[in-house]
Amino acid sequence: MERITKDLPTPILFVIAPTRVLFDTEFMKKRIEINNWSWFFLVANLVFLFTFIPLKSCLNFNYCLYALLWALPFSRIGEISYAFYNDSFDQLKGCKPRSGLSRIQRLKLLGRSYFEISICYASLYLALPNSAFAHQPTSGFESMYFSWITITTTGFGDIISLSVLARVLCMTEIGIGLMLIVFAVGTYLSYRESDN
């Protein structure tokens, strides 16, 4: 099963998604299946989200917390977006899927990844300064609520982003959410396993 990303140099991919670089190593390819990888990071990001407030007060927002934000939520957002983007284009080109998963397995992975993206953004929203929102999310649940209404483009307006960084995060979350739902689901539903 081919899982090596070929269109971005490894140093650039490492900055965008270090978890992807780790997943592409020979050591990991032989030991971990993509579904187990996905479940592990979904749980890890949930734990990180709900322990973020205590971590923030303990670590006094030093470099350890920035490293965790880069290594967990930021990296997973990059990895998931990049993987589904490439996978969708592989489908459109008629190539055999790199993941080796069936259509049903890929749709399940897509649903789990969509949920994980919202959890990752929730952690990033909690990391923003209090001036970033009209009403700053103060808990993991409140941040996850804001992230979920953002990624689904519901936008009730009870939490409003004020800073440029918060607005950029909201725009990228909406864009990635739409890409996953419209682009990936569309290509997966049109994919026929008999074609490959």
Side-chain angles (χ1 to χ4, degrees):
M1 165 176 22
E2 183 66 29
R3 296 193 307 199
I4 295 176
T5 308
K6 295 182 171 133
D7 49 348
L8 273 182
T10 302
I12 292 173
L13 192 58
F14 182 75
V15 170
I16 296 168
T19 55
R20 178 62 185 215
V21 174
L22 178 63
F23 187 65
D24 282 342
T25 62
E26 285 296 321
F27 177 79
M28 296 303 281
K29 278 197 284 185
K30 293 177 181 174
R31 288 167 180 78
I32 293 190
E33 178 192 279
I34 194 167
N35 281 316
N36 294 337
W37 182 262
S38 173
W39 277 112
F40 170 77
F41 277 105
L42 175 64
V43 171
N45 275 301
L46 261 174
V47 169
F48 182 68
L49 173 64
F50 287 102
T51 59
F52 185 82
I53 300 291
L55 278 173
K56 188 176 176 180
S57 61
C58 289
L59 296 176
N60 262 342
F61 222 89
N62 64 14
Y63 295 109
C64 291
L65 195 56
Y66 285 123
L68 281 171
L69 284 168
W70 171 68
L72 272 175
F74 182 78
S75 178
R76 283 299 287 168
I77 290 167
E79 178 182 355
I80 290 168
S81 305
Y82 190 69
F84 280 105
Y85 175 82
N86 281 334
D87 199 44
S88 295
F89 274 105
D90 286 349
Q91 287 297 308
L92 291 172
K93 287 190 244 176
C95 298
K96 187 169 182 146
R98 296 179 200 184
S99 64
L101 301 174
S102 70
R103 178 171 55 170
I104 298 300
Q105 290 171 321
R106 291 155 63 144
L107 284 169
K108 286 179 181 179
L109 180 64
L110 177 65
R112 191 168 49 246
S113 297
Y114 188 75
F115 182 61
E116 186 182 352
I117 288 279
S118 70
I119 292 168
C120 291
Y121 272 99
S123 295
L124 295 177
Y125 294 138
L126 276 180
L128 294 175
N130 291 339
S131 61
F133 295 95
H135 168 73
Q136 177 73 21
T138 56
S139 68
F141 179 78
E142 194 172 7
S143 186
M144 192 164 64
Y145 160 79
F146 175 70
S147 181
W148 192 251
I149 64 170
T150 301
I151 200 168
T152 60
T153 66
T154 305
F156 292 124
D158 51 345
I159 301 174
I160 301 168
S161 56
L162 298 175
S163 73
V164 172
L165 183 55
R167 290 177 178 173
V168 167
L169 283 176
C170 289
M171 290 186 317
T172 60
E173 183 176 14
I174 291 168
I176 290 169
L178 288 174
M179 179 200 68
L180 286 175
I181 293 302
V182 174
F183 198 52
V185 169
T187 55
Y188 289 172
L189 291 178
S190 66
Y191 160 74
R192 290 176 295 173
E193 290 180 40
S194 61
D195 291 344
N196 292 318

